[in-house]
Amino acid sequence: MTSRKKLIAGNWKMNKTSADASALVAGIVEAVGRQTDVDVVVCPPFTSLESVAKALEGSTVKLGAQNMHHEAGGAFTGEISAPMLRGLFATHVILGHSERRAYFGETDAAINQKVLAALKNQLRPIFCVGETLAEREAGATLKVVQTQLEAGLQGVNQDQASSVVIAYEPVWAIGTGKVATTEQAQEVHAFIRGLLTKLFAAPIAGKVRILYGGSMKPSNAPELLAQKDIDGGLIGGASLEARSFVELVNAAIAAK
Ligand code: PEP
């Protein structure tokens, strides 16, 4: 039993046309759009933010984006800013996802700028950290996570810190079907909680939600969500169908 409300966030990545997104969100809203036991966030592609926002009106499900630029506006072709996301009623934004780090060259410093810009604009960052398989095999998991976490949260103040959501996503578990064992996940989550306690006051660290991400499914979620420092999930593949996503939300409700 913890005072932290569990959070299930769906990262739809580059999937779903606007019409597909509307159908998916309708199924989610119908099943879990009124409950308040856990927080639920859906993160569609930018092209569906507006239609999904409309479908979420009057429900308890919140809207998130998958990325943003750190500047509020200007000559940044192809980019989207925090005020634009706020204008579409987004409340969350995924930042520093390993796919953005690996395929789009996002550095810890760039992610830090985005985290600060999100907070300044009242968007809650879902800030992702996690090691690659090579880093885990080299015994560097905790060091890698520490470096990413400290760099990404640089300049975040005590008042802002409890709005941040951390997602621990071992890169080797994302989209691979290989899930971290509950012990592996809980070890890193507890380590992150300890780092947060050093960076911010203990009561603040106790409020920050730390999500697990990496092949989380209805079959493995109950065990993961029962861990002391696992406060929910960032879900890729299993968030693309209402049925599996809703099952994950129900697993979080059962584990609350
Ligand atoms: C993700 O990309 O954030 C993720 C956790 O993906 P999957 O659930 O498909 O492993």
Side-chain angles (χ1 to χ4, degrees):
M1 187 69 191
T2 156
S3 60
R4 293 182 296 276
K5 199 185 234 194
K6 290 217 182 319
L7 192 165
I8 297 290
N11 174 11
W12 297 1
K13 308 194 185 189
M14 196 173 72
N15 294 295
K16 307 288 175 191
T17 62
S18 203
D20 295 339
S22 295
L24 173 55
V25 75
I28 294 169
V29 167
E30 192 186 335
V32 291
R34 305 229 167 273
Q35 65 77 38
T36 54
D37 290 332
V38 301
D39 286 334
V40 179
V41 181
V42 290
C43 304
F46 291 136
T47 47
S48 301
L49 281 172
E50 190 158 14
S51 56
V52 171
K54 285 210 175 75
L56 294 179
E57 267 175 33
S59 87
T60 55
V61 179
K62 298 186 176 75
L63 182 67
Q66 299 173 19
N67 180 34
M68 54 166 243
H69 195 276
H70 68 271
E71 290 287 351
F76 300 101
T77 302
E79 292 291 326
I80 305 280
S81 73
M84 291 172 182
L85 297 178
R86 290 283 299 161
L88 291 175
F89 307 105
T91 50
H92 292 70
V93 59
I94 299 170
L95 295 175
H97 191 279
S98 61
E99 287 153 16
R100 298 223 48 95
R101 293 177 189 261
Y103 307 143
F104 303 98
E106 284 196 15
T107 61
D108 287 335
I111 295 160
N112 176 238
Q113 285 183 299
K114 294 182 185 206
V115 167
L116 295 176
L119 290 168
K120 192 173 152 197
N121 287 281
Q122 285 78 51
L123 281 170
R124 287 174 179 263
I126 301 176
F127 165 44
C128 305
V129 296
E131 81 288 0
T132 62
L133 185 58
E135 288 163 342
R136 175 161 282 271
E137 286 175 350
T141 297
L142 300 184
K143 184 77 214 125
V144 168
V145 166
Q146 178 167 6
T147 302
Q148 292 176 343
L149 194 93
E150 288 176 352
L153 295 182
Q154 213 173 1
V156 172
N157 65 39
Q158 302 272 345
D159 293 338
Q160 296 169 318
S162 55
S163 299
V164 177
V165 176
I166 309 286
Y168 167 58
E169 299 207 307
V171 178
W172 49 271
I174 295 180
T176 59
K178 279 187 206 152
V179 65
T181 65
T182 47
E183 293 77 19
Q184 284 172 326
Q186 168 57 28
E187 182 199 11
V188 180
H189 281 236
F191 175 72
I192 291 172
R193 183 95 51 216
L195 288 174
L196 293 171
T197 306
K198 280 188 204 142
L199 292 174
F200 309 103
I204 293 172
K207 281 189 198 156
V208 174
R209 265 94 58 93
I210 308 174
L211 313 184
Y212 170 79
S215 299
M216 198 191 248
K217 299 185 280 285
S219 57
N220 57 35
E223 211 187 324
L224 286 160
L225 292 170
Q227 301 304 304
K228 181 170 163 282
D229 290 291
I230 300 185
D231 305 313
L234 179 56
I235 320 295
S239 72
L240 296 176
E241 281 189 16
R243 192 185 164 143
S244 46
F245 188 67
V246 165
E247 278 185 54
L248 286 162
V249 173
N250 287 332
I253 293 170
K256 91 182 165 85

